[in-house]
């Protein structure tokens, strides 16, 4: 493949943005296609690159969690979007949460100012000539979806995803809530709305009966298990929410508090908060009714209601290798959530891994992807192989995707050992492949 070729990247989400900036930092010219704001999706609200459509949280930053280790790997590898996330973070205990608008604006500014990236604002209907990276995400347009169907034959692979409401800080009654982070980890950055048993049951009953935008029976609808709508969890049992996202454990020892609903900052200045564990597809009037029943939110001003959107993904183990390249279509890569990686951090990781795969091909460098002992490598292997004969489904990074430890280890020490092994593996891999870091432009810092 011509090393002077322009790489066509379709989609300016997290993965496409990271992939573009990684290639540009290695003096590879990129043509980045994005249809927004000319044509939007059912979930996006702006024309910014890397817009966060669901939560503003990149999840735990603890380095003994799988996603925490993955974030550290991305920082080591020079991820541009992780750097922006760190620069635009808002207080959220030991989690990495960002100011939603500031994050997207900064990524957009850096892409627009990068001399190696040409931006093309239009909907792509047909695949351009290779090299091509498809990073259109789970909200791929209907027209381009039909183009991809010719290659991937989706076979109905999709799930529904929901977003949480966002409310104005000025409308919160701070006399009825308390500030705390679970188990006092980090700083007390979450607003906690306590529910006694009567209030919990009142809200639960409404959740179970309230109508939704999606008219189908729940049995006919697929949701991602890691991000279920609150009304779906309510239907699963009386205790599901209070032992799930609304659990009071680690927040209060008051036995009269049955559950706690948390609010997390959605912007740097704390003017807006999103309701944690409250992804929903309820009709707006029912969302408002329930939110106004929550102590402290009786007069809440709802700036954005929760909503539902359909996410598509491909059967990656059938079509992709661990380098995110289409097995039978050389020069074509697929990256981001459409591959079945679930989550912001995972999407960024796939964008970085894809960029290195493209770069290696252009420069005739032997490249088989990251070692499976690393989190970024384990994610890549999952895309290539899935889990045995089970039907392929999207997955966050988790320890179940990495190879077992070589020696018997106490349960309490396992996470630390996974972390240490991943660090050792990545360090050696970079030493053996110094081009991963050395080929980046050092005289010009784009971010």
């Amino acid at each position: 493949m011509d090393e002077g070729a322009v790489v066509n990247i379709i989609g300016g989400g997290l993965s496409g943005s990271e992939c573009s900036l990684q290639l540009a930092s290695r003096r590879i010219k990129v043509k980045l296609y994005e249809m927004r704001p000319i044509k939007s999706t059912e979930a996006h609200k702006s024309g910014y690159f890397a817009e966060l459509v669901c939560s503003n949280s990149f999840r735990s930053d603890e380095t003994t969690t799988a996603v925490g280790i993955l974030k550290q790997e991305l920082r080591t590898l020079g991820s541009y979007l992780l750097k922006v996330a760190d620069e635009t973070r808002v207080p959220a205990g030991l989690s990495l949460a960002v100011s939603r608008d500031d994050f997207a604006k900064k990524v957009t500014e850096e892409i627009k100012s990068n001399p190696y990236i040409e931006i093309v604002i239009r909907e792509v209907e047909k695949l351009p000539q290779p090299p091509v990276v498809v990073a259109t995400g789970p909200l791929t347009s209907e027209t381009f979806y039909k183009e991809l169907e010719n290659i991937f034959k989706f076979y109905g692979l999709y799930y529904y995803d929901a977003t949480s409401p966002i409310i104005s800080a000025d409308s919160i009654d701070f006399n009825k809530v308390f500030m705390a982070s679970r188990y006092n980890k980090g700083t007390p950055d979450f607003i906690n709305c306590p529910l006694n048993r009567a209030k919990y049951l009142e809200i639960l009953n409404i959740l179970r009966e309230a109508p939704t935008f999606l008219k189908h029976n729940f049995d006919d609808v697929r949701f991602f298990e890691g991000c279920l709508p609150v009304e779906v969890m309510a239907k699963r049992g009386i205790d599901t929410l209070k032992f799930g996202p609304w659990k009071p454990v680690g927040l209060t020892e008051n036995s009269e508090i049955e559950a706690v609903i948390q609010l997390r900052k959605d912007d740097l200045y704390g003017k807006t908060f999103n309701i944690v564990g409250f992804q929903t597809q309820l009709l707006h009037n029912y969302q408002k009714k329930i939110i106004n029943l929550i102590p402290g939110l009786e007069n809440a001003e709802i700036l954005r209601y929760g909503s539902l959107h359909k996410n598509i993904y491909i059967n990656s183990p059938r079509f992709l290798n661990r380098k995110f390249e289409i097995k039978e279509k050389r020069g074509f890569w697929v990256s981001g959530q459409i591959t079945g990686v679930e989550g912001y951090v995972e999407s960024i990781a796939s964008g970085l891994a894809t960029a290195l795969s493209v770069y290696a091909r252009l420069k005739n460098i032997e490249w088989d992807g990251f070692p499976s002992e690393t989190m970024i490598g384990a994610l890549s292997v999952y895309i290539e192989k899935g889990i045995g004969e089970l039907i392929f489904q999207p997955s966050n990074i988790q320890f179940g995707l990495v190879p077992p430890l070589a020696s018997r280890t106490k349960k309490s020490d396992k996470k630390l050992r996974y972390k240490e092994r991943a660090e050792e593996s990545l360090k050696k891999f970079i030493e053996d492949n110094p081009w991963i870091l050395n080929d980046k432009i050092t005289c010009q810092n784009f971010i």
Side-chain angles (χ1 to χ4, degrees):
M1 188 176 291
D2 178 11
E3 74 172 61
V6 176
V7 180
N8 296 293
I9 298 179
I10 308 170
L14 294 170
S15 178
S17 297
E18 179 71 32
C19 188
S20 298
L21 288 165
Q22 287 293 332
L23 288 169
S25 75
R26 293 168 171 83
R27 299 182 178 88
I28 301 297
K29 291 183 178 179
V30 169
K31 186 174 285 188
L32 177 59
Y33 294 86
E34 172 56 55
M35 67 181 185
R36 295 180 296 111
I38 293 175
K39 182 175 182 179
S40 193
T41 73
E42 54 192 299
H44 287 90
K45 305 297 181 185
S46 76
Y48 293 128
F49 293 108
E51 179 186 340
L52 306 180
V53 300
C54 293
S55 167
N56 69 320
S57 174
F58 285 63
R59 312 200 311 280
S60 176
D61 225 13
E62 291 187 83
T63 55
T64 53
T65 63
V67 72
I69 298 170
L70 179 59
K71 283 204 281 284
Q72 286 303 105
E73 291 177 355
L74 291 175
R75 291 178 178 117
T76 299
L77 293 166
S79 164
Y80 289 100
L81 266 64
L82 247 293
K83 189 173 189 298
V84 173
D86 286 331
E87 291 172 351
T88 58
R89 71 186 302 157
V90 297
L94 292 181
S95 296
L96 172 59
V98 303
S99 171
R100 188 189 304 267
D101 287 343
D102 290 339
F103 173 81
K105 286 177 182 177
K106 187 166 180 59
V107 172
T108 302
E109 289 167 2
E110 298 305 330
I111 289 175
K112 286 184 174 181
S113 65
N114 195 302
Y116 286 90
I117 301 175
E118 176 189 351
I119 299 169
V120 181
I121 303 297
R122 70 172 175 85
E123 180 183 7
V124 174
E125 298 180 349
K126 297 290 182 182
L127 281 169
Q129 292 298 307
V132 172
V133 176
V134 176
T136 49
L139 297 169
T140 297
S141 72
E142 185 177 349
T143 302
F144 194 59
Y145 176 90
K146 291 178 180 177
E147 168 76 350
L148 295 181
E149 272 194 315
N150 295 326
I151 304 170
F152 300 117
K153 311 299 181 188
F154 284 95
Y155 299 111
L157 295 185
Y158 68 89
Y159 64 94
Y160 283 93
D161 200 6
T163 62
S164 299
I166 294 176
I167 64 174
S168 169
D170 292 339
S171 63
I172 300 170
D173 184 347
F174 284 89
N175 293 315
K176 297 182 179 180
V177 301
F178 64 95
M179 302 295 297
S181 292
R182 204 174 297 280
Y183 300 111
N184 293 317
K185 291 184 176 181
T187 52
D189 300 317
F190 290 85
I191 295 175
N192 296 273
C193 305
L195 307 179
N196 59 28
R197 184 166 179 77
K199 183 66 69 176
Y200 173 74
L201 292 176
E202 182 182 7
I203 292 174
L204 191 72
N205 288 332
I206 298 174
L207 285 171
R208 288 175 163 183
E209 301 298 329
T212 66
F213 284 103
L214 200 62
K215 302 303 181 185
H216 302 292
N217 184 288
F218 281 134
D219 294 335
D220 301 324
V221 178
R222 307 168 193 171
F223 292 105
F224 177 59
E225 284 293 321
C227 193
L228 291 171
V230 63
E231 60 272 10
V232 174
M233 286 187 279
K235 289 175 182 289
R236 290 189 171 184
I238 193 171
D239 294 330
T240 302
L241 283 167
K242 73 176 185 180
F243 285 105
W246 295 4
K247 61 180 179 288
V249 179
L251 294 170
T252 177
E253 295 181 0
N254 187 340
S255 60
E256 294 182 4
I257 296 178
E258 189 83 1
V260 171
I261 296 176
Q262 293 190 303
L263 309 179
R264 179 180 56 234
K265 281 184 181 179
D266 205 70
D267 70 275
L268 187 61
Y269 304 104
K271 296 189 297 182
T272 58
F273 282 78
N274 97 35
I275 308 178
V276 180
F278 209 96
Q279 300 90 322
T280 182
Q281 53 162 334
L282 295 179
L283 297 180
H284 289 178
N285 58 324
Y286 282 90
Q287 290 186 43
K288 179 173 175 56
K289 180 178 181 179
I290 293 169
I291 289 170
N292 290 157
L293 285 173
I294 299 171
L297 306 186
E298 291 88 349
N299 298 303
E301 179 188 0
I302 302 172
L303 303 176
R304 187 194 77 179
Y305 284 91
S307 63
L308 188 77
H309 51 272
K310 184 178 181 179
N311 288 348
I312 63 162
Y313 64 99
I314 66 175
N315 189 351
S316 288
R318 177 171 179 173
F319 296 103
L320 303 182
N321 59 29
R322 66 185 298 173
K323 295 177 284 187
F324 292 88
E325 187 173 19
I326 301 175
K327 295 174 184 176
E328 299 179 2
K329 205 169 179 64
R330 187 179 172 90
F332 291 84
W333 289 261
V334 188
S335 188
Q337 275 192 262
I338 195 172
T339 67
V341 299
E342 177 62 33
Y344 296 154
V345 183
E346 291 84 348
S347 294
I348 293 170
S350 72
L352 189 151
T354 303
L356 292 177
S357 177
V358 175
Y359 181 77
R361 174 64 57 76
L362 293 173
K363 297 295 184 179
N364 295 312
I365 299 171
E366 187 175 340
W367 173 252
D368 290 321
F370 290 97
S372 59
E373 291 80 12
T374 64
M375 296 300 135
I376 190 170
L379 201 62
S380 303
V381 171
Y382 179 70
I383 291 306
E384 179 184 47
K385 297 182 177 179
I387 299 179
E389 298 301 318
L390 297 177
I391 296 174
F392 180 70
Q393 294 183 348
S395 178
N396 295 120
I397 186 61
Q398 33 110 345
F399 289 125
L401 300 186
V402 299
L405 297 167
S407 57
R408 191 176 182 86
T409 307
K410 290 193 300 184
K411 185 177 180 180
S412 58
D413 295 335
K414 277 190 174 182
K415 291 182 179 180
L416 180 59
R417 282 293 301 121
Y418 281 130
K419 170 183 178 291
E420 292 172 343
R421 186 181 70 173
E423 290 175 343
E424 292 166 5
S425 180
L426 184 60
K427 180 181 178 182
K428 184 178 185 306
F429 191 71
I430 292 174
E431 289 173 353
D432 293 341
N433 298 272
W435 64 270
I436 292 175
L437 297 183
N438 293 349
D439 284 9
K440 297 178 72 173
I441 296 173
T442 55
C443 61
Q444 183 175 2
N445 183 14
F446 291 125
I447 291 187

